[in-house]
Amino acid sequence: MTSGSGWMRIAAALASGLMVAGLFPPYNFGILAWVAMMPLLWALGSLAGKHAGWKGFGLAYLGGAVSGLIQFNWLETVSWLGAILLPVYLAVYWGLFGAFAATLRASGLRRAFCLATMWAGLEWLRGWLFTGFGWNGLGVGLHETPTMAQGADLLGVAGLSLMLVFFQAALVGYRPGRWRNLAAAGLLVLAAFGYGKFRIAGEARAETVRLKALLVQLDIPQEAGRVLWTDLEIHQAYEEETLKALEALKDTDRWPDWVIWPETALTGRILKTNDGEWGTWQINMDTIAQVKAAGPFSLIYGVNELEAEKAGDNLVPAENGRAYNSIAVMSPEDKLQTYRKRHLVIFGETIPFVDSIPLLRKIYEQQSGMAFGGSFTPGDSLEPLAILGGGTTIGAIPTVCFEDSVGRLTRKFVREGPQVIVNVTNDGWFKRSPAAAQHFANARFRAIELRRPMLRCANTGVSGAVDSVGVTTHLLIDGNGSHFTRGSLLAELRIPLRPDRSLYARIGDWGILAVAAAGIVLALTARRSAER
């Protein structure tokens, strides 16, 4: 390639990287989702020759690295090294796509299909490999356009990415007289729009029960994982903020069915034996007793849970017992249920091989500025939590922290009957960065994928409610519109009594894997045909 064309291709890759980064908070230029990949697709399609694959990898890797460095610069609040290494790693998937696109022999709509399915397949791969990081897939760029986002209930949010890449590849592949490309792109948009209108109208007609949930957010400051308030200050604040809100609702028809506190809200631990006997720190019991004296409701809160054993009449932490990051649910009758987080965050909640590779511990402590206190153990339950609300039993799909960005996990909790996704989280690690808004943008797609509404309660982050079409119905913000605030929010959410089980809830990621496999087969077939 000539020097001039080389610089044009580099500029095109950079343009795509910048536009993809602009899809997500704090920018939210959602319209770019329909054009962001076009410069890169043009550049990759113009490559030829012996080293086209390597050149395609390099161009796409450059675009991906630039995009990632912008999207995930908030990681610098806890680790400057992580803010570099994560984008460097995620750009590899862009590079693989670039190598595939630069060596693809298919043309026309076949080429568009192969490119779209490969991109979607690689998004799935990065969301699964090494426990996965599926954050900010291309389809998440549609988070502010609910009508066009409804197709996520078919193949997941990666299916939206497939649609966007196909649309853009079809336009880039247009040549005079090749009207099929334009027709296919136009029909795809019309089909997505029509399906979105159909799904939204169907959800609006569903028979529902009204659930009232009080969300309490304290906005506790942190330095990495180190909370800057004392245990006493935290517990007193939960008591004060919750009782103040309940007092305002007393003797009204808006008394909450549920009160929700965020991830690791209470600083004491829960002790639980294998046969279900439990106890907790006195500081927890005192706080819970104070708020439950105000009236009947189910209390849902985040807490650390320890395996316990009997010592006489007392419960004590089991020797070499495991620790869990849990959601606890206490009924008005003081019956306890817990869910133990399954999907742990690497270098946040667990460090694989830390005992055999001491350097990993040193890296964590140097970057976070705090000692590594040991790994949590992943839970194993896939059962929803049964909680009374709105006069009926509602199945709560439990998610802790980033679990609400993992569709392949949340779908496993889907059952018949009324359900709501409940997320307790704490994005305070990342201070007042775009991390919290990005987290919320990704989480909203679980409501669409599963057709289950969502309640989210954060310490610092985004606390609010999302309906079954992914529309935010309640949001806790201050007078300036910021979600970084202390306060409470009564969310009244319509819960479908007989919700549909979406295609994605039924088949999960097998759908996107099937179309990705079909794209690979078609690409191989096109290569063999070209070599004859």
Side-chain angles (χ1 to χ4, degrees), residues 118-425:
M118 177 55 67
W119 180 274
L122 288 167
E123 280 197 353
W124 169 85
L125 183 63
R126 77 174 175 94
W128 172 82
L129 194 62
F130 309 126
T131 76
F133 187 78
W135 196 282
N136 286 3
L138 191 64
V140 177
L142 299 177
H143 67 100
E144 293 294 347
T145 53
T147 300
M148 302 305 292
Q150 296 307 303
D153 72 349
L154 301 174
L155 300 177
V157 72
L160 300 179
S161 302
L162 186 154
M163 174 186 71
L164 292 169
V165 174
F166 181 89
F167 172 82
Q168 293 171 73
L171 294 184
V172 169
Y174 169 72
R175 300 292 182 272
R178 193 179 289 176
W179 297 106
R180 287 189 303 172
N181 281 45
L182 294 181
L187 287 173
L188 180 66
V189 173
L190 287 175
F193 181 81
Y195 182 77
K197 287 292 186 182
F198 169 76
R199 291 303 302 179
I200 291 172
E203 291 298 307
R205 292 192 297 268
E207 183 181 0
T208 62
V209 61
R210 187 168 292 276
L211 174 69
K212 297 185 285 292
L214 179 69
L215 315 177
V216 180
Q217 174 174 300
L218 294 187
D219 195 27
I220 301 171
Q222 289 183 223
E223 290 292 341
R226 185 169 60 90
V227 177
L228 301 184
W229 287 7
T230 67
D231 292 358
L232 183 60
E233 288 173 328
I234 292 170
H235 284 251
Q236 287 180 337
Y238 277 115
E239 290 176 26
E240 293 168 4
E241 202 65 51
T242 305
L243 290 172
K244 180 174 68 174
L246 291 174
E247 180 62 28
L249 298 171
K250 193 174 182 179
D251 299 324
T252 73
D253 61 357
R254 304 181 70 209
W255 185 262
D257 303 293
W258 299 354
V259 170
I260 306 180
W261 295 339
E263 180 183 11
T264 58
L266 300 186
T267 61
R269 307 294 193 258
I270 282 179
L271 295 173
K272 198 172 184 182
T273 64
N274 291 332
D275 61 5
E277 188 173 355
W278 67 276
T280 189
W281 267 231
Q282 188 62 46
I283 192 172
N284 285 11
M285 290 301 298
D286 292 343
T287 296
I288 291 170
Q290 286 288 332
V291 297
K292 294 197 74 175
F297 55 81
S298 292
L299 178 63
I300 304 170
Y301 62 98
V303 67
N304 289 345
E305 182 179 352
L306 303 179
E307 284 187 323
E309 59 189 11
K310 292 283 289 186
D313 294 332
N314 299 318
L315 291 181
V316 296
E319 185 176 358
N320 299 318
R322 292 169 290 189
Y324 304 92
N325 188 1
S326 297
I327 292 177
V329 179
M330 187 171 287
S331 72
E333 300 78 29
D334 292 340
K335 294 181 180 179
L336 183 78
Q337 303 177 73
T338 62
Y339 161 76
R340 296 165 173 176
K341 185 181 183 185
R342 291 177 59 96
H343 190 87
L344 301 179
V345 178
I346 293 180
F347 276 93
E349 295 168 315
T350 184
I351 303 178
F353 312 114
V354 67
D355 293 329
S356 55
I357 308 177
L359 178 61
L360 296 176
R361 182 188 298 269
K362 292 181 180 178
I363 292 174
Y364 172 88
E365 292 177 348
Q366 188 275 328
Q367 290 291 305
S368 68
M370 59 185 294
F372 178 63
S375 293
F376 286 111
T377 299
D380 56 12
S381 174
L382 290 172
E383 287 302 315
L385 300 170
I387 314 174
L388 189 66
T392 189
T393 299
I394 295 174
I397 296 176
T399 62
V400 180
C401 193
F402 295 126
E403 286 185 320
D404 65 356
S405 68
V406 186
R408 70 176 185 275
L409 172 61
T410 53
R411 63 168 287 273
K412 294 179 180 179
F413 291 86
V414 170
R415 303 289 188 273
E416 301 297 331
Q419 287 191 296
V420 59
I421 303 167
V422 175
N423 178 251
V424 296
T425 190

Side-chain angles (χ1 to χ4, degrees), residues 43-107:
L44 296 172
S46 70
L47 293 172
K50 185 177 180 181
H51 300 295
W54 285 108
K55 292 174 183 176
F57 182 94
L59 278 174
Y61 185 92
L62 176 63
V66 168
S67 186
L69 287 167
I70 296 171
Q71 291 178 57
F72 306 116
N73 61 9
W74 45 262
L75 269 172
E76 190 272 335
T77 58
V78 293
S79 170
W80 62 264
L81 184 61
I84 296 172
L85 292 182
L86 181 64
V88 165
Y89 162 68
L90 295 179
V92 170
Y93 297 94
W94 282 60
L96 293 173
F97 173 78
F100 175 82
T103 56
L104 180 62
R105 300 294 184 89
S107 60

